[in-house]
Amino acid sequence: RCLSDWSSDVCSSDLYRFLLLIVAVILYGSFKPWAFDFSKPGSPLHSLLRIWPQLDLYALRDAAVNFAMYFPLGALAWMAAARRYSRAFAAAAVIVAAVALSTAVEWLQYYDRGRVGSIFDVTTNALGAAAGVAAALVFLARFERWQPARLNRREAAAACLLLAGWAAYQLY
């Protein structure tokens, strides 16, 4: 059902679909090529806390990608949560959820051949989600004014398909 407190044209089901799409893109990008080895000896927690990359150009690029992947997650999750809860609680809940998702992903990357999970990645992911929450807080009113008065659902579906195709191309 469409909610009228922010915009009559933004449906909560569409918001949740975008959020699910972003989580799917994060999971796909984090585990590609999906080559797990669960017989790997050692502790994933020890590895996660022990590994901190050298700050070189590759690490900065990796940090920027992590930040960019979690930015829309923070913004859309806050927009969804703030419809039911206070803005402060929604912001805190979204950041905690992003840290939990990121930690779980990095933990599982211990078992993924060719991947290395680190607390640095968790930190940049959390910063990306927090920046997304902040951007949503600041720019929500501007976003509402920017939206067309009547959004055709077919146009919205076509735009979403185009955006998903572009994102898939970038990940491929």
Side-chain angles (χ1 to χ4, degrees):
R1 90 187 203 308
C2 290
L3 300 176
S4 61
D5 45 315
W6 287 345
S7 172
S8 61
D9 295 324
V10 176
C11 293
S12 62
S13 61
D14 293 339
L15 192 60
Y16 293 123
R17 285 184 193 130
F18 280 129
L19 194 54
L20 198 61
L21 176 67
I22 289 170
V23 170
V25 167
I26 287 172
L27 292 176
Y28 177 79
S30 297
F31 296 126
K32 186 180 172 188
W34 299 86
F36 292 101
D37 178 16
F38 290 107
S39 64
K40 186 175 181 180
S43 167
L45 178 61
H46 182 265
S47 175
L48 181 68
L49 295 175
R50 179 178 52 90
I51 296 175
W52 192 268
Q54 291 182 343
L55 291 179
D56 57 2
L57 193 57
Y58 175 77
L60 293 177
R61 183 195 65 84
D62 190 41
V65 168
N66 287 339
F67 186 92
M69 285 180 68
Y70 277 77
F71 184 89
L73 174 77
L76 287 177
W78 181 84
M79 289 173 67
R83 290 177 183 232
R84 292 188 177 179
Y85 306 106
S86 71
R87 290 178 172 208
F89 180 79
V94 166
I95 293 170
V96 167
V99 168
L101 174 66
S102 177
T103 303
V105 164
E106 297 300 320
W107 190 295
L108 278 172
Q109 280 184 349
Y110 176 78
Y111 299 106
D112 195 355
R113 285 186 222 126
R115 294 283 186 159
V116 177
S118 75
I119 200 72
F120 179 71
D121 289 345
V122 174
T123 304
T124 55
N125 294 341
L127 289 173
V133 168
L137 275 164
V138 170
F139 294 110
L140 183 62
R142 291 182 184 177
F143 174 72
E144 291 169 356
R145 280 184 258 130
W146 175 74
Q147 280 186 318
R150 295 179 190 257
L151 184 65
N152 184 341
R153 289 188 62 75
R154 284 188 178 164
E155 291 172 359
C160 290
L161 182 62
L162 183 62
L163 182 63
W166 175 82
Y169 172 75
Q170 294 299 318
L171 287 173
Y172 183 71

